[in-house]
């Protein structure tokens, strides 16, 4: 029962954070943000909101700084939505999972491109030799 409640609260945290960042924050530092997931502590005192930020590392740091600055605002929106005794303190964390996935995909595509390229070169060489021998 308790785990189910934590999951529900985490989902509400994710939704509220996502909607607030997307529609209500006016901070120019906060752009290109996707809320990937949220985790809530067992005592509902803290919530980790994982975000993916598009852009360079410097832009990501700047955006994360803007999000930390807006955490109180997001928390107040969460308090309006959650009818609990405590509102979790929100901590924004840069989710490296998306970045890692993109990097792995790039490496796989690069490797496939190289193997296809070398296979293509071999077949072209063979076909030239076949046509010259005829």
């Amino acid at each position: 029962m308790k785990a189910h409640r934590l999951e529900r609260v985490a989902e509400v945290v994710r939704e509220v954070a996502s909607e607030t960042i997307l529609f209500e924050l006016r901070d120019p530092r906060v752009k290109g943000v996707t809320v990937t997931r949220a985790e809530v502590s067992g005592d509902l005192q803290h919530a980790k909101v994982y975000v993916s930020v598009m852009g360079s590392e410097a832009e990501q740091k700047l955006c994360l700084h803007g999000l930390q600055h807006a955490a109180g605002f997001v928390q107040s929106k969460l308090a309006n939505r959650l009818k609990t005794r405590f509102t979790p303190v929100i901590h924004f964390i840069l989710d490296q999972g998306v970045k890692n996935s993109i990097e792995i995909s790039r490496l796989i595509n690069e490797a496939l491109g190289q193997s296809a390229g070398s296979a293509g070169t071999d077949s072209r060489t063979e076909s030239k030799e076949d046509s010259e021998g005829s």
Side-chain angles (χ1 to χ4, degrees), residues 112-133:
L112 289 174
Q114 286 177 350
S115 66
S118 62
T121 306
D122 293 345
S123 64
R124 275 186 249 126
T125 307
E126 289 171 13
S127 63
K128 281 183 182 177
E129 289 171 0
D130 290 344
S131 63
E132 287 173 2

Side-chain angles (χ1 to χ4, degrees), residues 59-80:
E59 289 170 326
Q60 289 177 347
K61 284 182 182 176
L62 188 65
C63 183
L64 207 54
H65 186 73
L67 286 171
Q68 299 291 10
H69 191 259
F73 178 68
V74 175
Q75 206 171 310
S76 70
K77 294 292 178 183
L78 184 60
N80 293 339

